[in-house]
Amino acid sequence: MNDTILSNLLVITSTSNADSLYDTCVKIRKTAEKEIRNALVKKTKIMFATLGFAHSHSFKNTDFDICCVDEACQASEPETLPLLKDSLKRLVLIGDPNQLPAVINSKLSEQAGYGVSLFERLYKRNYPYVMLSTQYRMHPKISEFCSKNFYGGQLKDGPNVLSESYTKHWHSQRMFGPLVFFNQEMALEEKCSTGSYVNSGEIDAIFSTLKDFFVKYPNSNATIGIVCLYKEQKKMMLEKMNDFSRTLREIAEDPKLVASFLNNIDVNTVDGFQGQQRDIILLSLVRANKKGSLGFITDIKRVNVSLTRAKHSLWIFGNKDVVCINPTWKSVIDYIQSNGAVIPCNSKSLIFTNYTVADIQNKTELEEQCE
């Protein structure tokens, strides 16, 4: 038996005070847990852990030959440095310098370069690297733009996304195609007391689109992600989910279909969706104002992550005239006009209030040229 644990047990036998006895037992438990964890770590051949574990006592006293870090561009350099032990023979960093970096809450620290990852530092200094140039996620109509604008045209489509099975049955409807921009001229942003922004018109439009999709394809079994560019938009979206649930239950005959559809919907920010994917992504741009101020939605890395989460369909909700002020977003909408559909949403709230799904499919006036 470990000498420390044995000595603590001897203390118990001579302890009469209840509080002292409890404190001693807690101490013994923690010591035992630590010793067991250290023993398991030393014996293991392959271990999965967070970077936070690299700062633990167990890691510092254990030697590894190879260490692989996934999403390495989202880790600040100080988080990664403890991995560089003398015993380490190879460090493999896996990440995308064209996507979101580490989150740094201090502006002063960010200005000082604290947010630069070890991956990015080596990458910028032309350290040899291997690019995984084949993508197996995005529909070709989505990946073509991303490859050309974010990866210098080097990104190639895998055989799975080029197969006929990757084109889904809902793609036959233009409003549910692989690439759609829902143009909301009347929906304007609102600034919150937190400094964040919301756009209730976009929220209503997203739920209206999902309702129409459910009515038309209740058995799609598609995974759906609602990506919000602002935290308050995510918060408001989640608050309105209950109303959306009730709406679906009122129009659906089978409550199980509603439950399954709702269980497949996730709502999060762009940062929360990095590294994830869904069959269908509905992207809420939020920003829409007369001044043409777009904030951080123009950040090229944020745009990249936003556009590369979808497998089969990417539906974007925003104000075309406002976002086209930015060259990157204008190129996005120009591409969608040529390869997808730009559909006007002429009311501030529900975009298809006056139309059934069948009406929408037949109305050519819903097509709009992106200027």
Side-chain angles (χ1 to χ4, degrees):
M1 182 179 292
N2 181 279
D3 291 340
T4 304
I5 297 177
L6 181 60
S7 63
N8 285 328
L9 288 174
L10 293 175
V11 171
I12 288 180
T13 60
S14 60
T15 301
S16 58
N17 183 277
D19 291 337
S20 298
L21 179 60
Y22 174 79
D23 292 340
T24 303
C25 289
V26 170
K27 184 178 179 181
I28 291 175
R29 188 200 69 187
K30 289 183 177 180
T31 301
E33 288 176 349
K34 182 178 179 180
E35 294 297 330
I36 293 171
R37 182 169 57 249
N38 290 342
L40 290 174
V41 170
K42 284 184 177 294
K43 290 182 178 180
T44 191
K45 297 295 183 182
I46 301 176
M47 183 175 66
F48 295 87
T50 63
L51 274 177
F53 181 74
H55 297 264
S56 69
H57 180 270
S58 298
F59 181 85
K60 292 176 181 178
N61 290 282
T62 306
D63 294 331
F64 293 96
D65 295 323
I66 302 173
C67 184
C68 300
V69 182
D70 191 22
E71 293 289 356
C73 290
Q74 282 199 292
S76 66
E77 203 165 28
E79 289 179 291
T80 312
L81 291 178
L83 302 175
L84 303 178
K85 303 169 62 175
D86 292 338
S87 59
L88 191 67
K89 297 178 181 177
R90 176 172 294 181
L91 176 65
V92 181
L93 301 176
I94 306 168
D96 187 347
N98 296 309
Q99 295 196 3
L100 293 175
V103 177
I104 306 299
N105 294 321
S106 167
K107 289 186 178 181
L108 184 62
S109 297
E110 188 173 4
Q111 292 170 357
Y114 181 82
V116 178
S117 65
L118 178 61
F119 186 114
E120 188 173 0
R121 187 180 297 278
L122 294 174
Y123 176 75
K124 286 182 176 180
R125 282 159 177 73
N126 297 318
Y127 193 85
Y129 67 90
V130 175
M131 179 177 177
L132 304 179
S133 58
T134 303
Q135 71 88 18
Y136 302 92
R137 172 189 298 165
M138 296 173 283
H139 187 282
K141 284 192 176 182
I142 303 173
S143 65
E144 181 182 356
F145 176 86
C146 299
S147 175
K148 186 181 299 182
N149 289 272
F150 305 132
Y151 299 98
Q154 297 183 63
L155 207 58
K156 308 302 178 184
D157 295 328
N160 64 314
V161 302
L162 294 173
S163 67
E164 291 184 6
S165 63
Y166 223 71
T167 297
K168 296 302 178 181
H169 53 288
W170 63 77
H171 287 165
S172 61
Q173 310 303 322
R174 195 162 176 81
M175 62 176 287
F176 298 137
L179 205 51
V180 182
F181 185 89
F182 292 96
N183 181 30
Q184 291 192 279
E185 296 178 351
M186 302 298 292
L188 298 178
E189 70 187 43
E190 299 173 50
K191 189 171 184 178
C192 305
S193 58
T194 60
S196 185
Y197 292 87
V198 297
N199 190 315
S200 58
E202 288 185 12
I203 293 175
D204 291 336
I206 286 173
F207 282 135
S208 180
T209 303
L210 286 176
K211 183 187 76 172
D212 288 336
F213 181 79
F214 174 76
V215 170
K216 186 68 176 177
Y217 306 103
N219 296 297
S220 69
N221 200 35
T223 57
I224 298 171
I226 302 176
V227 180
C228 305
L229 284 170
Y230 283 86
K231 290 182 180 179
E232 288 296 330
Q233 184 80 340
K234 170 193 171 183
K235 181 180 178 181
M236 182 178 286
M237 188 80 69
L238 290 171
E239 289 173 351
K240 291 192 175 185
M241 278 295 293
N242 288 334
D243 293 335
F244 178 61
S245 301
R246 282 193 292 270
T247 300
L248 292 189
R249 292 189 177 96
E250 290 172 358
I251 64 176
E253 297 180 357
D254 188 349
K256 291 183 179 179
L257 285 178
V258 175
S260 177
F261 185 74
L262 293 173
N263 286 337
N264 281 337
I265 299 176
D266 290 304
V267 181
N268 214 327
T269 60
V270 178
D271 301 72
F273 263 111
Q274 175 147 317
Q276 298 188 45
Q277 62 183 23
R278 297 293 186 276
D279 293 331
I280 301 171
I281 288 292
L282 296 91
L283 174 62
S284 176
L285 301 185
V286 183
R287 300 305 300 269
N289 54 75
K290 296 179 181 179
K291 295 180 180 179
S293 176
L294 296 177
F296 64 48
I297 78 167
T298 61
D299 178 79
I300 193 72
K301 293 184 177 182
R302 194 168 295 275
V303 177
N304 184 10
V305 175
S306 301
L307 302 183
T308 55
R309 301 305 95 200
K311 294 176 64 179
H312 304 292
S313 290
L314 172 62
W315 305 335
I316 305 174
F317 296 77
N319 186 310
K320 174 177 70 68
D321 291 336
V322 174
V323 298
C324 273
I325 294 173
N326 175 257
T328 300
W329 278 110
K330 186 179 187 307
S331 65
V332 171
I333 298 174
D334 285 344
Y335 176 82
I336 294 176
Q337 179 58 52
S338 300
N339 298 273
V342 175
I343 298 178
C345 310
N346 294 320
S347 76
K348 187 176 181 179
S349 55
L350 300 184
I351 55 176
F352 303 128
T353 302
N354 299 321
Y355 303 113
T356 64
V357 173
D359 290 333
I360 294 168
Q361 296 163 10
N362 297 323
K363 284 187 175 291
T364 56
E365 61 264 30
L366 289 179
E367 302 292 328
E368 175 173 309
Q369 295 297 318
C370 178
E371 299 174 355

